[in-house]
Amino acid sequence: MIYINSRAFQEETILRNEQTEEGKWIVEFTFQVTHEEYHDVTVLLYENDFNVQVGESDPFQAGILQYSTDTVNLYEPGSTSRYTLALIGK
């Protein structure tokens, strides 16, 4: 489980969970977003100022390095999209 500002995200795959040479943490993962969750997730991501915790590890402050979705239309009830989100420590 990955927590962003206390909101839990069930990751499908963790693509990266490592420190850069400068000592900043990068975590990149995929997760599903449903039509019902879309608005809340989008509002959260637009804040771009996060307290991130991966599992039981120590939390760190981060912002978005990169993100993408495999679907742009989550307005239809029952639709889902896979998000790929990369966060980097501040």
Side-chain angles (χ1 to χ4, degrees):
M1 193 71 65
I2 297 175
Y3 299 90
I4 301 175
N5 292 356
S6 300
R7 182 186 172 106
F9 289 87
Q10 180 59 57
E11 76 280 357
E12 288 184 325
T13 306
I14 295 180
L15 304 170
R16 282 193 285 178
N17 187 17
E18 61 195 21
Q19 277 187 298
T20 66
E21 290 181 11
E22 297 82 22
K24 294 181 179 183
W25 278 101
I26 294 178
V27 61
E28 183 177 10
F29 63 101
T30 63
F31 60 100
Q32 291 288 322
V33 176
T34 66
H35 162 78
E36 293 76 18
E37 299 169 316
Y38 171 71
H39 177 76
D40 292 340
V41 170
T42 301
V43 168
L44 174 67
L45 293 179
Y46 276 115
E47 290 176 15
N48 200 23
D49 185 25
F50 311 117
N51 185 41
V52 178
Q53 185 173 8
V54 180
E56 298 297 318
S57 67
D58 290 335
F60 63 96
Q61 292 300 117
I64 295 173
L65 178 63
Q66 181 179 2
Y67 84 96
S68 62
T69 68
D70 68 355
T71 304
V72 294
N73 184 3
L74 279 173
Y75 301 109
E76 295 180 28
S79 60
T80 62
S81 179
R82 175 176 291 114
Y83 278 49
T84 302
L85 178 62
L87 302 170
I88 187 166
K90 291 184 174 184

